[in-house]
Amino acid sequence: MSPHESHPHSASHSHAHGHGPAAPVSRHLRKVIAAVLIPFAAAVAVGLVVLWPGGAPPHKPSGVGFDQPTETARVVKVAEVNCADVHAEQQPQPPSPTGQPPTGGADKGKPCQQATIEVTTGENKGRTFQTVVTPDALRQYTTGQEVVVSYSPKAPKDLQYSISDVDRSFPMWLLAAIFAFAVVIVGRLRGLLALVALAASFVVLTLFILPAILQGSNPLVVAVVGGSAIMLIALYLCHGLTARTSVAVLGTLASLLLIALLGSVFIGWALLTGNTDDTTGLVHGLYPDIEIRGLLLAGIIIGSLGVLDDVTVTQTAAVWELKEADPSAGWRKLYGAAMRIGRDHIASVVNTLVLAYAGAALPLLLLFSIAQSSVGTVASSEVVAEEIVRTLVGSIGLVAAVPLTTLLAALVVSADRKERSAPTWEVTGAGQVTGAEAGADAGATGGVPASPTGGRPGRRGGRGKRRKQ
């Protein structure tokens, strides 16, 4: 008899140790969570179908402001000309507060630039026009530079095209590629899934949320449905279809509902209209059916969603890891330990939100500082009050997400009923009992697996040996 034949249990021994750790959540608890989330996911799917816009509504550009068709163009020639010959005057510089002469005096007397621009796309491809650039202009042009031009069909032919911006597609795409590369290198498969979730979020935003609002649907309802779809796609795609992810989804959903409630109350109480800049006014003028106040609330919900995902996933993971480290811990102990982590998270996230909004509104804050307005006057002005409401409502939702998600995760983990099967016994020698057979025998003998000869498992006979898995 060969060595391989004399030890038939070796293959079974290696198989027994190939199993991973048991799932942290029982089948019963997964059913309970699914009973809550499946109707919610179904409602989101129904909302997407009912509100699906089928594309943005048709619109003929008016040629005013941002409502102009744009094309790409190229600078084909740049020549120096006398500013007086082309009737170009430099903008007068205001005196400095210290009484010093205005800056920019060195530019006085310098020649202007006359750039020839060729349109490279659109129905008028190949048409050229000229534009004059003064020496004190912030943007200068070079031959071969790509630019973006606006088209006004109602203007005189020589004035129909004008430069609106420079073409910065290459540096933006390069930066996006560097970002994607860094995410995949560090995050590996999880990072790749995060990029896929990011692309899916943009798809929902551009194909559903924006066109649905333009079609006249309620912006709040569209934001809730679209934001919920983004949340489900991003969380389950990045973190897996697990009970732990489902708890994070429930915590995010509860916080989103709180943000929607608080935002609706304080936007109405503070009498905010949402029409605080030229862009919003132009959108409202082109699409009068859009509810601008609802658009403001929708922006608060969508803006808070990304940070909410981070908070809820982190807190849920903390509770799960604490339970793994101390399986005997009850929900109170788990909640207290995870909240100590959550308090640090709250402090950093709230500070991040406030600084992010302050950075975005920095030019506006500078204008108020120049006007020497009081803090109360600045805070009560609609343009600043809108940002304050946006920041504080989103921050309250983030703060509430920490205890809500932590408590929910602690209760789920502590209430879990683990489904542990009876011990599996392996008998080697003349007979061998598989795991399924041992379970069947255990059921027949009151929970104690029987040996193949009918004896008690604690008794060894012949070459037999028992081992508990």
Side-chain angles (χ1 to χ4, degrees):
M1 182 179 295
S2 65
H4 295 286
E5 294 173 342
S6 63
H7 296 282
H9 69 280
S10 58
S12 176
H13 178 80
S14 62
H15 173 73
H17 288 274
H19 296 289
V25 175
S26 66
R27 183 181 302 175
H28 170 76
L29 197 53
R30 289 199 298 269
K31 290 181 178 179
V32 173
I33 296 175
V36 177
L37 285 180
I38 289 179
F40 167 68
V44 172
V46 171
L48 288 173
V49 173
V50 172
L51 297 175
W52 192 264
H59 168 69
K60 186 176 181 180
S62 63
V64 178
F66 286 100
D67 190 30
Q68 291 181 332
T70 58
E71 304 290 348
T72 59
R74 182 185 300 109
V75 180
V76 295
K77 181 181 179 181
V78 177
E80 292 186 354
V81 295
N82 192 332
C83 295
D85 294 340
V86 293
H87 308 288
E89 296 181 358
Q90 301 184 36
Q91 296 294 329
Q93 299 290 334
S96 62
T98 58
Q100 298 293 329
T103 59
D107 293 331
K108 189 175 182 180
K110 287 187 176 181
C112 292
Q113 289 183 342
Q114 187 176 52
T116 302
I117 315 296
E118 180 184 0
V119 180
T120 55
T121 59
E123 59 181 8
N124 294 320
K125 180 180 179 181
R127 180 191 292 188
T128 60
F129 67 96
Q130 293 181 333
T131 185
V132 176
V133 184
T134 59
D136 57 348
L138 295 178
R139 182 178 296 156
Q140 304 289 325
Y141 302 107
T142 58
T143 302
Q145 184 178 6
E146 301 289 336
V147 294
V148 179
V149 295
S150 300
Y151 177 59
S152 301
K154 297 180 181 180
K157 186 175 181 179
D158 294 341
L159 303 177
Q160 287 181 338
Y161 283 97
S162 61
I163 298 179
S164 60
D165 208 343
V166 297
D167 186 1
R168 52 182 65 92
S169 301
F170 179 74
M172 299 303 292
W173 280 110
L174 179 61
L175 181 60
I178 295 174
F179 163 74
F181 178 77
V183 170
V184 173
I185 288 297
V186 178
R188 299 185 179 179
L189 178 60
R190 192 66 63 88
L192 180 61
L193 293 176
L195 293 178
V196 175
L198 179 62
S201 299
F202 274 107
V203 169
V204 174
L205 181 64
T206 56
L207 297 185
F208 173 71
I209 295 179
L210 298 180
I213 292 176
L214 291 177
Q215 291 281 12
S217 300
N218 189 300
L220 176 58
V221 177
V222 172
V224 170
V225 174
S228 299
I230 291 174
M231 173 186 67
L232 292 173
I233 294 172
L235 287 181
Y236 282 118
L237 188 60
C238 294
H239 304 286
L241 193 63
T242 63
R244 184 167 70 178
T245 307
S246 299
V247 172
V249 168
L250 291 174
T252 305
L253 176 61
S255 301
L256 277 180
L257 294 177
L258 177 61
I259 290 174
L261 177 62
L262 289 177
S264 179
V265 170
F266 282 94
I267 287 175
W269 196 0
L271 302 178
L272 299 178
T273 63
N275 191 4
T276 55
D277 54 24
D278 296 337
T279 304
T280 308
L282 178 60
V283 170
H284 187 53
L286 297 174
Y287 297 92
D289 295 335
I290 294 180
E291 186 184 353
I292 299 299
R293 185 176 295 179
L295 193 61
L296 171 61
L297 182 57
I300 294 176
I301 294 174
I302 296 174
S304 303
L305 181 60
V307 188
L308 271 178
D309 290 349
D310 174 51
V311 171
T312 55
V313 169
T314 301
Q315 288 304 115
T316 306
V319 173
W320 247 258
E321 293 299 326
L322 289 170
K323 183 65 174 180
E324 288 294 320
D326 186 5
S328 63
W331 73 268
R332 295 179 185 274
K333 184 177 180 180
L334 291 174
Y335 178 78
M339 277 303 296
R340 287 192 289 272
I341 301 173
R343 292 186 186 98
D344 291 336
H345 208 175
I346 288 174
S348 61
V349 168
V350 170
N351 195 42
T352 299
L353 272 183
V354 172
L355 291 180
Y357 283 120
L362 192 59
L364 178 64
L365 297 178
L366 288 174
L367 289 178
F368 279 110
S369 299
I370 294 173
Q372 297 181 351
S373 302
S374 64
V375 175
T377 302
V378 173
S380 60
S381 63
E382 181 172 2
V383 65
V384 176
E386 179 180 304
E387 297 300 326
I388 292 176
V389 170
R390 190 194 309 271
T391 303
L392 296 185
V393 167
S395 299
I396 291 173
L398 292 175
V399 171
V402 173
L404 282 175
T405 308
T406 305
L407 178 60
L408 183 60
L411 292 175
V412 167
V413 173
S414 300
D416 185 22
R417 298 206 304 263
K418 296 294 177 68
E419 298 175 345
R420 293 189 176 89
S421 60
T424 302
W425 301 87
E426 177 185 320
V427 180
T428 61
Q432 182 175 356
V433 181
T434 64
E437 294 169 342
D441 291 341
T445 57
V448 180
S451 69
T453 59
R456 298 181 60 84
R459 299 171 60 185
R460 300 185 181 180
R463 291 179 299 169
K465 180 177 62 177
R466 68 181 178 90
R467 181 173 57 83
K468 185 178 180 181
Q469 293 187 23

